[in-house]
Amino acid sequence: MAAPHPNQVAFREGVEYLFHSWTALKLAVDGQWGGHDSDEKQAWFIDTIVDYFSQNGKKVDTFDLEDILIQIMNDEFSIMLEDQSEQHIAKILEQLFLECTHGKYDLVQTLKQDSQKVSGALKNSQSQKKAKQEGDDEEEDSSDDNDDDSDDDGEGDMDVEMGESSSSASAPVRKEPIIDEDGFETVVKKGRRR
C-alpha cells in the first residue's frame, strides 16, 4: 500500500487542527456531551469529513457539507448549532482542500497556530482554576486551624437550625379540602392524637 500523498496528509492535519479549535465541538468533546467516547467520535468526525472530500473532490456542495456538519454535531454530540459556525467551518474546509490540492500549506500552518492558541488558553485557564482551588483549600485549612472557637459556634448554629427544622416539622400541616366532582367538600374523619 502506497503512502498517502503529502497533500492528503496536510489536508487531514488541517481538518484536525480546525476541529480541535472549533469552539462548539471542543466544548462537546471536553464536556463529553457525546458520551464517554466523545474523543473517538471526534476522530470519526474528522475521518468522515476527510473521506467526504476525497470522494467528492472539487465538486463538494457547500450546503451538503454544512448539513453533514450540523447532522453529526446533532446526532453524535446532541448540539444544535445556533451560531451558524457550520458555515464558517465549511468555508475553511473548502479553502483548505483547494490549497492543499495545489500544494499550498499556509492555511494548515495558520490552523495549527490557532489550535495551539486554543489549547494553550485552555491549559492556562485550567491551571488558574486549579491554583485557585488549591488556594481556597489552604485558606479553609488555615481558618480551621486558627479558629478553634468558631467550630464550637458552628455546632451551636447547627443545633439551632436542627431545633428550628424539627419544630417546623412537628407543626400541623393543613391539608387542602377534598372536593368531589359535584363540587361538595368531602369531610375526612380525624384520627386520635397520641
Side-chain angles (χ1 to χ4, degrees):
M1 186 174 190
H5 192 277
N7 292 352
Q8 292 174 320
V9 173
F11 177 69
R12 178 177 195 76
E13 285 178 12
V15 175
E16 288 175 1
Y17 294 137
L18 178 61
F19 278 31
H20 285 288
S21 61
W22 183 7
T23 305
L25 182 57
K26 185 156 186 50
L27 288 170
V29 173
D30 291 347
Q32 294 192 338
W33 297 349
H36 66 282
D37 59 345
S38 292
D39 289 329
E40 289 84 10
K41 286 183 178 182
Q42 182 181 31
W44 170 82
F45 195 1
I46 291 167
D47 289 341
T48 302
I49 296 302
V50 170
D51 290 346
Y52 176 78
F53 273 92
S54 21
Q55 289 171 5
N56 294 294
K58 295 177 183 175
K59 297 177 185 174
V60 168
D61 179 70
T62 303
F63 296 113
D64 190 33
L65 179 57
E66 289 174 9
D67 286 344
I68 291 170
L69 296 172
I70 290 170
Q71 184 176 354
I72 291 176
M73 289 294 278
N74 189 13
D75 293 350
E76 301 301 327
F77 298 101
S78 302
I79 293 179
M80 293 295 295
L81 292 173
E82 296 176 356
D83 62 352
Q84 298 177 335
S85 60
E86 76 280 355
Q87 294 173 2
H88 176 70
I89 298 297
K91 284 179 187 173
I92 293 173
L93 286 168
E94 290 174 346
Q95 183 182 353
L96 177 66
F97 182 77
L98 189 63
E99 287 188 16
C100 288
T101 55
H102 289 92
K104 297 179 182 175
Y105 307 136
D106 293 343
L107 184 54
V108 175
Q109 290 305 313
T110 303
L111 293 170
K112 181 179 182 178
Q113 291 167 358
D114 291 347
S115 177
Q116 289 171 343
K117 285 179 192 173
V118 169
S119 297
L122 181 66
K123 286 178 186 174
N124 190 19
S125 167
Q126 288 174 341
S127 63
Q128 286 175 353
K129 283 182 185 176
K130 186 176 180 182
K132 183 178 180 340
Q133 287 174 344
E134 289 172 0
D136 290 347
D137 291 346
E138 288 173 10
E139 286 176 23
E140 288 174 14
D141 291 344
S142 64
S143 67
D144 288 346
D145 294 340
N146 296 340
D147 241 347
D148 291 337
D149 293 339
S150 68
D151 289 343
D152 294 338
D153 292 342
E155 288 173 12
D157 291 343
M158 187 76 99
D159 291 340
V160 170
E161 289 171 14
M162 292 293 284
E164 288 172 2
S165 65
S166 62
S167 66
S168 64
S170 62
V173 178
R174 182 177 171 161
K175 294 183 179 178
E176 293 293 318
I178 301 170
I179 308 294
D180 66 9
E181 58 190 48
D182 296 325
F184 293 98
E185 181 177 335
T186 305
V187 178
V188 180
K189 189 173 183 178
K190 294 183 180 178
R192 286 187 180 174
R193 285 193 168 180
R194 293 185 179 187

